[in-house]
Amino acid sequence: MKYVLITPAHNEERFITKTLDSMVAQTALPERWVIVDDGSTDHTAQRAREAGAEVIVHAQNQGKGEAIKTGLSHWLGAANQSSGGQDRQITWVILLDSDGQHLPEEIDRFLLAAASVTGPTFFIGNRMNNVAGMPFIRHVVNRFMSNQISRVCGQTIPDTQCGYRMLDRRLIPEMLGGGHRFDYDTEALIIASRTGYRIESVPITTVYTDQVSKIHPVRDALRFFKLMRRYKAVGR
């Protein structure tokens, strides 16, 4: 099963090389790995290139959502222009964060889950089966947000805040809209649901590093509530 890997990254030189090196444990390697350096001020882009990844650089930080959209748009454009090449055989796009919280060796779990689906499906990692390593406040906030988003999506999604995802390439055009920053992760689920996709959860390992979260509690909370209010007003 062929797939492309897209990774948004902002000041992740500490983790990016380790993440790239971890790919050797993969049963199925990606056909292409696109890393979008979202205005980093460290050596993230250099480390990614040294490891052999394809790197796109934003001159200024634009947010996680924009970095993902840049990667999706870049790859889809290249795939549409290729004439019978490998890109045209790729079915899935996997989104992998670069902060060390996602284990590349668990990509196999997503591919295995995809092998048995028959309808349009959007896959998302689920860390909520084992929350022993998750900080208490994140656990509480994640449960609350997941319940709210599940209602808007019309289906149960245990871990809506997980950035480890896999989507059908046919969904990419719909994914090029939505929020610019962390609100993109939420809006992507709503868009996929309302496009007719079933959201299926894939159990993954809970991993937390000593890195400070890039989420701004007040600013990003306001974005979340504005987003939810807008979609609730539109209705299903």
Side-chain angles (χ1 to χ4, degrees), residues 61-96:
N61 178 258
Q62 299 180 36
K64 180 183 180 181
E66 286 302 313
I68 291 174
K69 287 185 279 187
T70 292
L72 291 174
S73 179
H74 170 80
W75 176 74
L76 185 62
N80 289 340
Q81 292 175 11
S82 65
S83 54
Q86 290 182 332
D87 283 320
R88 288 194 173 273
Q89 302 174 35
I90 295 174
T91 304
W92 299 100
V93 177
I94 292 180
L95 305 179
L96 177 81

Side-chain angles (χ1 to χ4, degrees), residues 141-150 157-161:
V141 170
N142 197 353
R143 289 287 190 193
F144 170 77
M145 296 179 74
S146 294
N147 287 336
Q148 296 297 311
I149 296 166
S150 293
I157 311 170
D159 189 4
T160 59
Q161 303 311 294

Side-chain angles (χ1 to χ4, degrees), residues 55-191:
V55 181
I56 303 171
V57 177
H58 285 170
Q60 296 179 331
N61 178 258
Q62 299 180 36
K64 180 183 180 181
E66 286 302 313
I68 291 174
K69 287 185 279 187
T70 292
L72 291 174
S73 179
H74 170 80
W75 176 74
L76 185 62
N80 289 340
Q81 292 175 11
S82 65
S83 54
Q86 290 182 332
D87 283 320
R88 288 194 173 273
Q89 302 174 35
I90 295 174
T91 304
W92 299 100
V93 177
I94 292 180
L95 305 179
L96 177 81
D97 287 349
S98 57
D99 57 4
Q101 293 189 25
H102 297 164
L103 302 179
E105 54 267 34
E106 293 185 341
I107 286 174
D108 288 343
R109 300 185 182 185
F110 288 82
L111 299 177
L112 182 61
S116 61
V117 300
T118 56
T121 308
F122 182 109
F123 296 90
I124 182 171
N126 177 19
R127 301 160 294 178
M128 305 307 285
N129 290 337
N130 183 3
V131 296
M134 183 177 291
F136 177 75
I137 188 62
R138 290 198 183 191
H139 181 194
V140 172
V141 170
N142 197 353
R143 289 287 190 193
F144 170 77
M145 296 179 74
S146 294
N147 287 336
Q148 296 297 311
I149 296 166
S150 293
R151 290 177 184 175
V152 174
C153 290
Q155 49 186 315
T156 301
I157 311 170
D159 189 4
T160 59
Q161 303 311 294
C162 183
Y164 208 165
R165 303 173 175 204
M166 184 168 78
L167 59 129
D168 190 313
R169 66 178 291 166
R170 293 172 295 182
L171 186 59
I172 292 178
E174 303 292 338
M175 294 289 103
L176 299 182
H180 305 298
R181 296 190 178 275
F182 289 101
D183 50 336
Y184 177 84
D185 282 344
T186 295
E187 195 158 7
L189 295 174
I190 299 173
I191 292 172

Side-chain angles (χ1 to χ4, degrees), residues 9-68:
H10 177 63
N11 291 337
E12 299 292 3
E13 66 175 351
R14 287 178 57 201
F15 298 102
I16 198 71
T17 301
K18 180 179 179 181
T19 299
L20 289 159
D21 289 344
S22 294
M23 285 302 299
V24 299
Q26 263 296 104
T27 301
L29 295 174
E31 296 297 319
R32 292 175 66 177
W33 193 342
V34 180
I35 293 180
V36 181
D37 181 348
D38 188 31
S40 295
T41 56
D42 63 2
H43 298 97
T44 293
Q46 179 183 337
R47 298 288 181 266
R49 289 192 183 99
E50 289 171 352
E54 181 178 352
V55 181
I56 303 171
V57 177
H58 285 170
Q60 296 179 331
N61 178 258
Q62 299 180 36
K64 180 183 180 181
E66 286 302 313
I68 291 174

